[in-house]
């Protein structure tokens, strides 16, 4: 109860059946507050705290990290959404 809390949550959000509006969000959370976030719509990291701004700058300066995060829309989000849609929505 008196320790530190760290987590990382990723989300894929879309509303169209063809996934053309798919957004990938990668949140880094410390003590229940998002301190840094990657949003595929923005295309880079955004820091929300002093530490988050520092890390966002470091991550944004590394083209390998940015390329990897940007690729998650197709590699992670769309691929899994297609599987879920085929398993659930298309069965009705």
């Amino acid at each position: 109860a008196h320790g530190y809390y760290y987590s990382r949550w990723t989300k894929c959000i879309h509303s169209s059946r063809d996934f053309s509006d798919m957004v990938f969000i990668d949140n880094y959370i410390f003590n229940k507050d998002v301190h840094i976030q990657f949003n595929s719509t923005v295309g880079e990291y955004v820091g929300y705290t002093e530490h988050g701004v520092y890390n966002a700058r470091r991550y944004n300066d590394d083209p390998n990290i940015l390329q990897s995060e940007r690729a998650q829309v197709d590699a992670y989000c769309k691929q899994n959404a297609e599987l879920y849609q085929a398993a659930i929505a298309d069965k009705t």
Side-chain angles (χ1 to χ4, degrees):
H2 298 289
Y4 294 103
Y5 174 83
Y6 175 82
S7 64
R8 182 175 175 188
W9 292 13
T10 58
K11 300 181 209 177
C12 300
I13 302 169
H14 70 94
S15 60
S16 64
R17 283 186 60 88
D18 67 354
F19 314 123
S20 60
D21 61 346
M22 184 71 72
V23 177
F24 172 70
I25 299 172
D26 190 2
N27 291 308
Y28 296 74
I29 302 160
F30 183 72
N31 285 349
K32 301 181 183 178
D33 292 321
V34 175
H35 70 95
I36 188 171
Q37 179 184 79
F38 178 87
N39 183 317
S40 64
T41 304
V42 177
E44 64 182 19
Y45 287 91
V46 175
Y48 296 102
T49 65
E50 183 179 345
H51 183 68
V53 169
Y54 170 80
N55 282 315
R57 189 175 305 119
R58 285 187 36 225
Y59 297 161
N60 290 333
D61 286 343
D62 187 331
N64 294 322
I65 292 175
L66 284 180
Q67 181 181 4
S68 176
E69 285 289 81
R70 291 172 180 160
Q72 294 305 307
V73 171
D74 291 320
Y76 177 70
C77 292
K78 288 183 181 179
Q79 180 180 0
N80 285 316
E82 288 169 0
L83 292 171
Y84 294 142
Q85 184 165 315
I88 299 168
D90 295 342
K91 302 293 184 207
T92 59

